[in-house]
Amino acid sequence: DGGITQSPKYLFRKEGQNVTLSCEQNLNHDAMYWYRQDPGQGLRLIYYSQIVNDFQKGDIAEGYSVSREKKESFPLTVTSAQKNPTAFYLCASSLDREAGELFFGEGSRLTVL
Amino acid sequence: SQQGEEDPQALSIQEGENATMNCSYKTSINNLQWYRQNSGRGLVHLILIRSNEREKHSGRLRVTLDTSKKSSSLLITASRAADTASYFCATRRNNQGGKLIFGQGTELSVKP
């Protein structure tokens, strides 16, 4: 079935370590997004990519990095520079930059010990 | 910064009752969308309403949009326990293609 796969679902990290969250889609969508969600909060946009080899910063990009080398993949690296990385991370995709609906993965929960 | 603000933040009703959630936003938009999130899961798209539309229906869902007041409402009729979830509005602004900005959400609890 088509969809978005995020991995791992749960991740624990020690302070000072970088971690990479995987996001893969087989929907043939051009646009992909990373959002962060804190408890009881809405979603905040970290990075988004509208086409392969191109991406833009969202509202809270500091301490994060991304790449978009393949259409189906948009990994997110949470670097040691991110001061408060414990959160629920959601990846999404849409057909293109003008399309309405976003399709979400099931999320990755990162906990910094 | 967040574009949409939902109210109430939390809503508790009995099965069979209607649930109404509201969303306000600040800038002009291309469209407004509503999503649902079950606890610990990803979001699921419910309905999209364009800026030139005033009302839209999908099953037990009814969405209205008032661009003069920069507000939208989501009505769930004849609610069920399975409707228990958080509901978010999201706006796609004009001239900012690709960015969908989410509100803080309304947590709905439907008691059997």
Side-chain angles (χ1 to χ4, degrees):
Chain A
D1 285 2
I4 297 183
T5 302
Q6 289 188 239
S7 64
K9 189 163 177 63
Y10 298 96
L11 185 61
F12 297 89
R13 181 193 102 174
K14 293 181 180 178
E15 282 192 25
Q17 289 181 335
N18 291 357
V19 292
T20 297
L21 307 180
S22 169
C23 178
E24 304 277 330
Q25 53 100 358
N26 60 3
L27 300 167
N28 201 32
H29 284 174
D30 282 329
M32 296 186 75
Y33 312 80
W34 274 106
Y35 286 90
R36 169 182 171 140
Q37 186 177 31
D38 292 286
Q41 301 292 313
L43 280 65
R44 291 184 289 169
L45 183 63
I46 304 172
Y47 268 99
Y48 63 108
S49 168
Q50 295 168 344
I51 198 167
V52 175
N53 292 323
D54 186 49
F55 49 83
Q56 287 80 41
K57 292 182 179 180
D59 298 319
I60 56 165
E62 185 175 348
Y64 300 97
S65 66
V66 293
S67 63
R68 186 85 188 276
E69 296 175 1
K70 297 186 296 182
K71 186 175 185 177
E72 58 270 22
S73 179
F74 191 40
L76 173 75
T77 296
V78 184
T79 75
S80 56
Q82 168 50 234
K83 297 193 185 316
N84 186 18
T86 294
F88 189 50
Y89 291 89
L90 287 156
C91 179
S93 72
S94 64
L95 186 61
D96 55 44
R97 59 178 285 170
E98 301 300 332
E101 178 181 356
L102 259 58
F103 293 79
F104 280 84
E106 286 296 300
S108 292
R109 188 170 299 280
L110 172 64
T111 302
V112 173
L113 304 172
Chain B
S1 60
Q2 292 301 311
Q3 164 80 315
E5 295 184 6
E6 288 97 331
D7 85 275
Q9 289 189 328
L11 181 61
S12 182
I13 60 174
Q14 294 294 131
E15 224 171 12
E17 293 180 341
N18 294 345
T20 299
M21 289 159 269
N22 302 297
C23 171
S24 61
Y25 57 92
K26 297 186 175 76
T27 64
S28 64
I29 60 171
N30 179 280
N31 65 63
L32 185 143
Q33 303 174 37
W34 286 90
Y35 288 80
R36 167 195 168 124
Q37 183 182 34
N38 285 33
S39 182
R41 307 291 298 274
L43 277 72
V44 175
H45 182 264
L46 295 175
I47 199 165
L48 179 153
I49 187 164
R50 301 193 188 283
S51 59
N52 61 353
E53 298 175 309
R54 292 297 166 257
E55 187 170 313
K56 209 161 181 181
H57 296 254
S58 177
R60 292 184 297 114
L61 305 181
R62 173 178 167 250
V63 169
T64 61
L65 179 65
D66 186 335
T67 53
S68 66
K69 295 181 179 177
K70 293 187 169 57
S71 68
S72 173
S73 67
L74 170 68
L75 169 67
I76 304 174
T77 61
S79 63
R80 306 164 182 167
D83 294 328
T84 295
S86 293
Y87 293 82
F88 295 90
C89 70
T91 52
R92 192 178 291 274
R93 303 179 196 175
N94 289 327
N95 303 318
Q96 291 200 18
K99 290 181 68 172
L100 196 61
I101 307 298
F102 285 81
Q104 304 296 311
T106 292
E107 193 173 328
L108 174 65
S109 175
V110 182
K111 300 187 186 310

